[in-house]
Amino acid sequence: MRRNAVPLHPVPRWLVISAALVAALLSIRPGFAFARVAAPAPVPAPPHSEPQGGLTALDADGKPAQLFPLKHTDVKIEVSGFLARARVTQRFENPFPDKIEAVYTFPLPQRAAVDDMTLTVGDRVVKAKITKREDAQAIYEAAKAKGHRTGLLDQERPNIFTQSVANIMPGEQITVTISYVEVLKYEEGAYELVVPMVVGPRYIPGQPTGNKLGGGWAYDTDQVPDASRITPTVMPPGTRTGHDISIEVMLDAGVPIRNIQSKTHEVTIDNPVPDRAVVRLKNRASIPNKDFILRYDVAGGKIQDAVLAHRHGKDGFFTLILQPPDRVTPADVTPKELVFVLDTSGSMSGFPVEKAKETMRLALEGLYPQDRFNLITFSGDTHILFPEPVPAAKENLRKALTFLQSRSGGGGTEMMKAIKAALDPSDSQEHIRIVCFMTDGYVGNDMEIIAEIRKHPNARVFSFGIGSAVNRVLLDKMAEEGRGEVEYVGLNDDGSAAARRFHERVRNPLLTDLSVEWDALKVKDVYPRRLPDLFSAKPVILTGRYTAPGKSTIKLHGKLAGRPVTREIRVELPEKQPRHDVLATLWARARIDDLMAQDFTGIQRGTPKAEVRLAITQLGLDYRLMTQYTSFVAVEEMTITEGGRPRRIDVPVEIPEGVSYEGIFGGTGEGNRPLPMTSAAAAPPMTDRGILGKAMEQRAMIETDEAVSYSHEETAPDRSAAQNAAKLHRSLAAIVKRLKDKIHTPTPEEAAFVKQGKAEIQVWLSDTSEATLALLRQLGFELLLKPKTGTPVIGRLPIQNLAMLAELKVVRYIAPQINNT
């Protein structure tokens, strides 16, 4: 299930890697001789010191507990006008004595067009090849098995990616660089650039399928068949990955830049000339636990109409930017029906839900007496204040504010129930129902929710993203498909300003019922197909193709304050224009978005329409773009590494700033470790202590016998059944219970990590002394991998000895090791 609230917690759980991806594919030439590389000798860390620059998790005493392969991410962005080109470089280093495969799950902007990747090994740079996802996987696995250094970049969601890098030798560094382009957001005279840094923990609805295709903490379900690929393990409170990030933004606005600021991070600003600036994170090694947001104004405070075109060959591409009109504010006394929906799940616990309540309270206080309203809250259950919307009278508002004040964060995120409760009544009414959602969007069934909103054309959806690292692809699409507007409210932002903007937009839409008359221009495949209403002073942006050059005056039709208006814009589409080739990439990305909208539910469930999948795949191949069905793969073929297959290491991520770890995973004591944040079908039922609280009660019923004698205090058995049970990951606890119930048939879920009666596991220890390892060996533990420094070890153990392993005081947490080979 899902979340409650609180800060960080000791002892890492089980690793998971996320960030940007990999490189290029060199074709193997006949007769090519391969050089064979021996593993360099491990470089020991300095005694009693934290290794410099490594990804280091600290235990409860602040001592290094684990090194992770991802050392640093560097982001460099060049902004020219409204276009941004970004290069994201990840540096991996192997801290283990054996070669490894690093797997990392990371975010990129939801509208980014990812069009390049390179892999760098020493002085060799390999450019990645774009190919079908299944083909890329086969190439990667074959190269990994042969000992080649290889990289694979997959897209799980438009804003979630998985990077895999295999055969990193001990002490070796490998660098991966990915490149993307995007159009900046422009509103109310200011540009906004967002660099997401962390994938927030998603709630996973549905029935478990027994599969685990990725290395995340969640198991795949029928509703989210890729759940294990979008749920990177989160570092517990009191620990951190050690991975850091640096950002540099080079602005070239073409006009004077003013008021450059970031409310999320401290920055340094170099502004040598009025129209250019360089912005850097003040701390060049920041913790990647919240979105970086940069805003700046440009001279004039108003964007100008612009047409950019590219034509090289028979097809041309264009992006058209049309300035918004001036706001007209007539007296508007038309009654409105507004429904406010608040996410009170565990991830919203603490600061996020209080910020959301503050914003919602101000929105309620801004209602007119003739308005009607209702209030819905949701987590695992949905609570509706009034049977139907009521007038915004003082007594009703008082009840609403009292109800709102009683809400707190806890439980899962069953958003679909709230979506239906809020939108279903709109289907039978002629007037527009305005629905305002306040959430962080931490759900795994994003596309299914967006598909549901598309079914209710009589409602308008306004989404408010609350938090420091929210799911922007969901919140943006909710507003887009609901023909509303999206607003993001950081934990330090002014809730009153957000509420004021909401009322202004609802009362006085800027421009509605938009359409474009193209006259004689030969254009096609123009996106978005349905132009959004404008609720704020932001431009209309269209991207399309043209089949012949031409000049004409196009007409933008719409309604301003209910009155028809038309704007005429002179447009020229050139016969030849080699510049601006990125416009083809942006058009392809918009086309992919349109195709996905045709089958959101099928794509979510892994069963897309054949024609949709084929079209998206072909666009990815034709335009060298990351999609759900195309991947980048790179193979460095000049060398072959030694040492057999690499050991997979999944890199964990930080908990987003302001999000409560215990609110999501539950538990407060020393022995507590996170359990999957999934639906009731996939995890123990939720209590007021979070998922883990109930799980501990259930696990305490597991009886274990002490079958081994121990010598000194440090390693004496821990006789608390609840504490012992809490040391076991959910899937391991299920094995213990199965054996206790004398059920010897393994489940499909166990097949991922149990072979011939032995479970491959990761064990977090308070120390890795020879005495401790000897105790593990007494239980039949076969050591497979031990870092040069740190306390987690990877090995195999007979499943009948799992309960006894959990009894050892030196054991802090045990999780399955999924290799997916």
Side-chain angles (χ1 to χ4, degrees):
M1 298 211 77
R2 194 175 158 183
R3 23 230 165 150
N4 263 344
V6 159
L8 304 167
H9 195 359
V11 186
R13 189 185 146 213
W14 143 65
L15 330 170
V16 177
I17 175 170
S18 154
L21 245 306
V22 207
L25 185 65
L26 297 175
S27 52
I28 301 177
R29 283 168 258 173
F32 189 83
F34 293 96
R36 187 168 293 276
V37 173
V43 180
H48 310 297
S49 68
E50 182 175 337
Q52 296 300 305
L55 243 77
T56 307
L58 303 180
D59 63 19
D61 301 319
K63 298 176 182 177
Q66 167 69 355
L67 291 177
F68 298 117
L70 181 61
K71 291 177 66 108
H72 181 70
T73 298
D74 178 64
V75 181
K76 283 187 168 58
I77 303 174
E78 297 179 4
V79 177
S80 180
F82 62 90
L83 293 178
R85 163 66 71 183
R87 286 176 175 79
V88 181
T89 301
Q90 279 98 17
R91 184 157 45 96
F92 295 90
E93 182 174 311
N94 182 0
F96 298 92
D98 303 301
K99 69 177 181 180
I100 63 169
E101 173 189 22
V103 184
Y104 178 48
T105 305
F106 64 98
L108 289 176
Q110 69 274 21
R111 298 191 185 278
V114 180
D115 58 0
D116 197 19
M117 180 182 100
T118 59
L119 182 73
T120 303
V121 183
D123 58 357
R124 297 183 298 282
V125 179
V126 185
K127 190 174 179 67
K129 174 184 179 180
I130 190 79
T131 186
K132 293 179 181 178
R133 182 164 178 160
E134 58 271 26
D135 292 345
Q137 181 69 40
I139 292 169
Y140 175 81
E141 290 296 336
K144 180 172 69 173
K146 291 177 181 177
H148 296 298
R149 295 172 182 85
T150 180
L152 176 69
L153 178 61
D154 291 321
Q155 177 182 308
E156 316 301 346
R157 297 284 188 277
N159 61 339
I160 302 179
F161 297 78
T162 299
Q163 176 173 307
S164 305
V165 186
N167 292 320
I168 309 174
M169 299 302 290
E172 181 178 54
Q173 286 193 2
I174 290 181
T175 298
V176 176
T177 301
I178 66 168
S179 181
Y180 67 83
V181 64
E182 66 172 331
V183 175
L184 296 189
K185 179 180 178 181
Y186 178 90
E187 186 174 1
E188 307 289 353
Y191 283 100
E192 180 180 271
L193 171 72
V194 178
V195 179
M197 292 190 183
V198 63
V199 175
R202 265 56 170 174
Y203 171 79
I204 305 299
Q207 296 286 338
T209 61
N211 297 326
K212 201 168 191 292
L213 301 177
W217 49 257
Y219 280 81
D220 303 332
T221 71
D222 55 353
Q223 289 188 40
V224 190
D226 61 349
S228 60
R229 297 183 66 91
I230 62 169
T231 53
T233 298
V234 178
M235 294 301 293
T239 66
R240 63 153 305 207
T241 63
H243 165 218
D244 52 35
I245 189 168
S246 59
I247 297 176
E248 178 181 87
V249 182
M250 289 155 282
L251 302 176
D252 184 357
V255 295
I257 305 169
R258 303 179 303 207
N259 301 327
I260 304 171
Q261 63 171 325
S262 172
K263 292 184 178 180
T264 58
H265 294 76
E266 286 190 78
V267 295
T268 62
I269 301 171
D270 183 13
N271 196 186
V273 293
D275 61 345
R276 296 185 182 184
V278 178
V279 182
R280 299 181 180 90
L281 287 181
K282 189 173 183 179
N283 180 357
R284 303 288 182 90
S286 294
I287 299 174
N289 64 348
K290 58 182 174 180
D291 293 348
F292 170 75
I293 302 175
L294 180 70
R295 293 189 178 97
Y296 57 95
D297 300 336
V298 292
K302 203 170 191 180
I303 197 168
Q304 298 301 309
D305 293 340
V307 181
L308 287 181
H310 167 70
R311 192 166 193 250
H312 186 69
K314 65 176 184 178
D315 253 1
F317 300 88
F318 69 89
T319 293
L320 178 62
I321 301 175
L322 304 179
Q323 68 175 359
D326 293 327
R327 182 173 289 282
V328 178
T329 54
D332 181 3
V333 294
T334 305
K336 302 280 193 300
E337 182 175 285
L338 298 102
V339 177
F340 297 91
V341 185
L342 175 63
D343 179 354
T344 58
S345 59
S347 68
M348 291 284 289
S349 182
F351 291 121
V353 78
E354 293 305 317
K355 176 60 68 174
K357 286 160 63 176
E358 170 200 337
T359 306
M360 186 173 286
R361 184 180 68 253
L362 293 163
L364 288 169
E365 292 173 350
L367 295 175
Y368 290 176
Q370 64 268 30
D371 290 337
R372 299 176 68 81
F373 79 99
N374 206 345
L375 183 57
I376 298 173
T377 64
F378 72 94
S379 52
D381 295 317
T382 298
H383 301 277
I384 305 175
L385 178 57
F386 301 109
E388 59 184 25
V390 298
K394 285 185 178 180
E395 179 59 21
N396 290 331
L397 287 171
R398 185 193 64 77
K399 290 180 181 178
L401 293 173
T402 301
F403 175 76
L404 186 64
Q405 193 58 36
S406 68
R407 303 292 94 182
S408 61
T413 312
E414 290 290 350
M415 185 179 284
M416 186 63 79
K417 296 177 184 177
I419 293 281
K420 290 178 178 291
L423 298 182
D424 280 354
S426 70
D427 297 342
S428 60
Q429 47 186 52
E430 295 181 2
H431 67 279
I432 292 176
R433 166 177 277 211
I434 295 168
V435 180
C436 173
F437 276 91
M438 294 191 178
T439 177
D440 54 22
Y442 286 165
V443 293
N445 57 333
D446 324 45
M447 289 177 276
E448 206 164 29
I449 287 169
I450 298 164
E452 182 64 29
I453 290 174
R454 285 173 63 91
K455 298 176 183 177
H456 304 280
N458 290 340
R460 291 293 177 91
V461 175
F462 287 75
S463 55
F464 280 69
I466 308 291
S468 62
V470 298
N471 184 1
R472 289 175 178 255
V473 71
L474 173 62
L475 291 154
D476 277 13
K477 283 292 184 181
M478 286 175 70
E480 181 181 319
E481 298 296 339
R483 295 179 299 149
E485 191 68 273
V486 63
E487 177 90 26
Y488 291 99
V489 182
L491 302 183
N492 297 319
D493 287 345
D494 183 356
S496 63
R500 184 174 63 251
R501 286 191 294 270
F502 168 70
H503 281 295
E504 185 179 65
R505 291 166 180 173
V506 169
R507 290 285 159 197
N508 304 298
L510 202 56
L511 198 61
T512 62
D513 303 312
L514 291 172
S515 64
V516 175
E517 186 180 335
W518 293 100
D519 195 33
L521 292 178
K522 304 297 184 183
V523 302
K524 64 178 183 179
D525 299 327
V526 180
Y527 303 105
R529 292 183 187 273
R530 183 183 65 184
L531 294 184
D533 290 348
L534 293 187
F535 292 89
S536 56
K538 64 181 183 180
V540 177
I541 300 179
L542 298 167
T543 183
R545 293 197 293 169
Y546 66 98
T547 55
K551 297 179 183 179
S552 188
T553 299
I554 68 170
K555 294 177 181 178
L556 176 67
H557 300 293
K559 289 183 179 180
L560 185 65
R563 300 190 307 271
V565 295
T566 297
R567 278 197 59 216
E568 295 186 346
I569 304 100
R570 188 69 179 170
V571 172
E572 178 178 357
L573 299 176
E575 182 173 358
K576 188 174 183 180
Q577 174 54 273
R579 297 176 58 212
H580 310 138
D581 59 344
V582 72
L583 297 179
T585 301
L586 293 172
W587 172 83
R589 183 69 174 79
R591 168 80 173 136
I592 289 167
D593 283 349
D594 183 74
L595 287 165
M596 290 180 67
Q598 296 175 27
D599 191 20
F600 277 132
T601 300
I603 291 172
Q604 175 73 70
R605 300 289 181 95
T607 56
K609 296 175 182 174
E611 62 273 20
V612 169
R613 176 169 185 151
L614 180 62
I616 292 175
T617 302
Q618 198 58 50
L619 281 163
L621 298 175
D622 290 346
Y623 292 89
R624 191 175 165 80
L625 272 178
M626 286 291 306
T627 71
Q628 298 277 110
Y629 310 116
T630 54
S631 299
F632 278 112
V633 62
V635 180
E636 197 284 291
E637 296 179 329
M638 293 184 67
T639 56
I640 297 177
T641 62
E642 293 183 337
R645 294 186 70 86
R647 178 67 52 187
R648 173 173 169 148
I649 301 294
D650 290 290
V651 176
V653 300
E654 303 286 345
I655 192 83
E657 183 179 79
V659 174
S660 162
Y661 182 89
E662 284 79 0
I664 295 169
F665 297 108
T668 56
E670 162 60 26
N672 296 344
R673 298 295 174 268
L675 289 176
M677 184 178 64
T678 50
S679 64
M686 192 74 184
T687 70
D688 57 357
R689 287 166 294 143
I691 301 169
L692 195 58
K694 184 65 176 178
M696 285 181 63
E697 291 178 8
Q698 294 176 333
R699 293 176 186 180
M701 312 230 0
I702 301 171
E703 303 284 342
T704 56
D705 297 323
E706 297 174 14
V708 182
S709 59
Y710 306 90
S711 53
H712 55 84
E713 168 68 23
E714 296 284 322
T715 53
D718 184 337
R719 289 175 170 78
S720 167
Q723 286 182 341
N724 292 342
K727 293 179 182 180
L728 290 165
H729 179 271
R730 175 181 65 89
S731 53
L732 299 178
I735 291 175
V736 172
K737 186 174 189 309
R738 171 170 69 77
L739 295 176
K740 176 181 178 293
D741 294 340
K742 298 186 172 15
I743 300 172
H744 299 289
T745 303
T747 66
E749 183 180 78
E750 295 172 24
F753 60 93
V754 177
K755 310 290 182 190
Q756 297 179 333
K758 293 183 179 181
E760 191 158 323
I761 55 178
Q762 302 178 50
V763 186
W764 275 261
L765 303 164
S766 58
D767 71 76
T768 53
S769 66
E770 184 52 40
T772 295
L773 295 177
L775 282 168
L776 269 60
R777 284 194 289 269
Q778 288 182 51
L779 293 175
F781 184 80
E782 302 171 28
L783 184 65
L784 297 176
L785 189 65
K786 174 180 176 291
K788 291 178 290 186
T789 62
T791 57
V793 294
I794 295 173
R796 296 190 188 95
L797 183 78
I799 57 175
Q800 64 268 24
N801 293 343
L802 282 168
M804 289 186 286
L805 181 64
E807 290 181 348
L808 296 180
K809 265 196 168 182
V810 289
V811 172
R812 309 184 77 173
Y813 184 62
I814 313 168
Q817 166 72 14
I818 311 289
N819 283 312
N820 298 325
T821 56

